[in-house]
Amino acid sequence: MAKPDSLGQFEQLVLTAILTLREDAYGVTIHSKVQELARPKAVSLGAIYVTLDRLEDKGLVASWMSDPTPERGGRAKRCYRLEALGERALQESAVTAKRIWDVIAEVWGKEWAKQWGKRWGKEAG
Amino acid sequence: MYSGPSKTAEAIVAVFVPPACREEVLGDLHERYSSAGQYGLDALRTIPLVIVSRIRRTADPQVLLMQALALYASFLGAAWLKDRAFLSEPWGLVRLAIPAGMAMLGLILEDAYAKPGRRSQLSVARGPVLGLGLALASQGMFRISNPDLAVPNWIAAYGCAISLLLSSAVRMLFPPATDRLQGANVPADWLKQSGGSLGNPEGSIGVVKGVAAIVAVVILLLILLIAYQAWKG
């Protein structure tokens, strides 16, 4: 079985966006999702295209053209979905991130981890 | 009421977006439209990255190296044939690299802006012709603005003729990624690695390209050595 390449942070964000958007993952929706995940950093639409092309070249995502819609001036969308390799790469990244989080929480203390947990809860809520 | 960019604005943006991704990029920009200013800014920020991404997908570094060698060797050969003294002039060798560099730029852009799918054998020469057009245009501009940077007319003409042949030959041997058969959803990297066309044994084109690239580097070094000796002597 092919081993997925390790992912950069921006690639992880784009893959997470595609995962959450499911059937509705295309340029505009992926961009708004990534912007939401990457806040407060600003993300350009061009950077999303570059990353999507790279992920497709690596075989982590696949794309297809949808039917044209009037709100897009009669133009089609390029929709994306995660491939099995992409899902595995994202899982590996999540496991690594969890390991990093556990080590940091251990070193800096449980109180600190709780505080951060609360802050994240507020941001998400 | 219609809320979207004007037809003129869309047509201008469409010219700059490579055809392979024009449909989705124009559609996305249309969907995000809120005002003419926002549309223009969005297009300005998006298009350069789209072009860069397309170049990354269509350009093959090994083939580009061979093309660069073929183009530079053509202009060097033309200088050797027509005006050997030019090679010993200050910055003579660097000045020869300007038309070669412009021709390379033309080739890269032609590949990036090519429509995906099979192209005829004749259209393989379109890239070199466009590149050499750019090379000649740059020489014309230098002649007006800074004649010290331009190469003599005969060298430019002979260099263009030789490089048209050499560059077209390299493109016929190693067709650009846009010329290869594309299966549905086959990642471009896999096509590049497998050689792309169905008739080739897997990876054999890659080996040939690797060897050709090494030979290209060796020839380039030899040319530079000979040119250096000519310049010294």
Side-chain angles (χ1 to χ4, degrees):
Chain A
M1 194 180 274
K3 206 175 177 309
D5 289 342
S6 57
L7 300 171
Q9 194 190 34
F10 199 71
E11 288 176 330
Q12 290 172 13
L13 291 174
V14 172
L15 285 179
T16 310
I18 296 171
L19 181 78
T20 51
L21 290 163
R22 293 167 193 272
E23 296 298 307
D24 195 34
Y26 66 98
V28 175
T29 53
I30 295 171
H31 175 254
S32 11
K33 194 73 192 172
V34 169
Q35 200 145 34
E36 192 188 315
L37 292 168
R39 68 179 185 271
K41 268 191 211 165
V43 175
S44 78
L45 184 62
I48 300 287
Y49 290 132
V50 173
T51 310
L52 285 170
D53 283 351
R54 199 170 51 238
L55 291 172
E56 195 172 21
D57 290 347
K58 286 180 179 178
L60 303 181
V61 300
S63 73
W64 73 96
M65 297 302 284
S66 74
D67 292 331
T69 53
E71 69 268 19
R72 295 170 57 81
R75 294 202 167 81
K77 297 169 188 169
R78 182 172 285 278
C79 296
Y80 292 87
R81 65 151 194 270
L82 280 191
E83 291 284 56
L85 202 61
E87 279 177 12
R88 262 212 323 283
L90 195 56
Q91 277 167 10
E92 279 181 18
S93 296
V95 169
T96 309
K98 174 79 172 63
R99 250 183 251 139
I100 293 170
W101 171 251
D102 288 346
V103 170
I104 289 175
E106 203 181 303
V107 173
W108 286 347
K110 281 191 177 151
E111 206 47 46
W112 176 88
K114 251 187 209 170
Q115 270 178 15
W116 270 97
K118 268 185 200 166
R119 194 185 284 190
W120 285 345
K122 266 185 203 164
E123 273 184 31
Chain B
M1 197 183 127
Y2 175 78
S3 159
S6 68
K7 294 278 172 215
T8 319
E10 268 202 318
I12 293 169
V13 171
V15 169
F16 293 101
V17 180
C21 48
R22 196 172 281 160
E23 177 84 2
E24 62 265 30
V25 172
L26 287 181
D28 285 351
L29 290 174
H30 188 111
E31 199 178 323
R32 284 160 58 89
Y33 177 86
S34 59
S35 67
Q38 173 273 334
Y39 183 80
L41 207 64
D42 218 12
L44 275 177
R45 280 196 299 214
T46 305
I47 293 170
L49 289 171
V50 169
I51 296 169
V52 168
S53 184
R54 188 69 199 147
I55 288 174
R56 189 190 62 77
R57 283 189 128 181
T58 52
D60 185 330
Q62 290 162 319
V63 177
L64 281 186
L65 178 69
M66 281 183 260
Q67 285 285 10
L69 171 78
L71 291 166
Y72 189 66
S74 304
F75 285 97
L76 203 59
W80 185 270
L81 285 172
K82 294 307 294 177
D83 185 3
R84 213 166 284 189
F86 177 80
L87 294 174
S88 49
E89 276 181 28
W91 299 102
L93 293 173
V94 177
R95 282 159 67 190
L96 285 175
I98 296 172
M102 292 305 287
M104 270 301 282
L105 181 70
L107 277 174
I108 292 169
L109 288 178
E110 210 281 322
D111 285 346
Y113 280 87
K115 284 187 180 142
R118 247 186 197 291
R119 290 193 282 177
S120 68
Q121 284 292 315
L122 263 181
S123 66
V124 168
R126 205 169 52 202
V129 169
L130 178 81
L132 295 171
L134 265 182
L136 288 175
S138 71
Q139 289 303 304
M141 279 171 65
F142 281 134
R143 258 181 250 298
I144 296 164
S145 60
N146 192 350
D148 289 346
L149 285 176
V151 296
N153 282 337
W154 275 110
I155 295 177
Y158 268 69
C160 283
I162 300 168
S163 55
L164 183 64
L165 287 175
L166 285 181
S167 183
S168 299
V170 172
R171 279 168 85 80
M172 277 180 195
L173 280 173
F174 307 107
T178 46
D179 280 1
R180 296 176 197 151
L181 290 176
Q182 301 261 343
N185 291 329
V186 176
D189 236 25
W190 296 358
L191 281 168
K192 272 186 186 175
Q193 282 162 18
S194 67
S197 70
L198 296 174
N200 290 317
E202 204 160 294
S204 63
I205 289 267
V207 174
V208 174
K209 271 197 294 195
V211 172
I214 293 167
V215 172
V217 172
V218 171
I219 294 172
L220 182 65
L221 290 174
L222 279 174
I223 289 171
L224 287 175
L225 189 71
I226 293 165
Y228 177 71
Q229 280 175 346
W231 178 63
K232 271 189 87 179

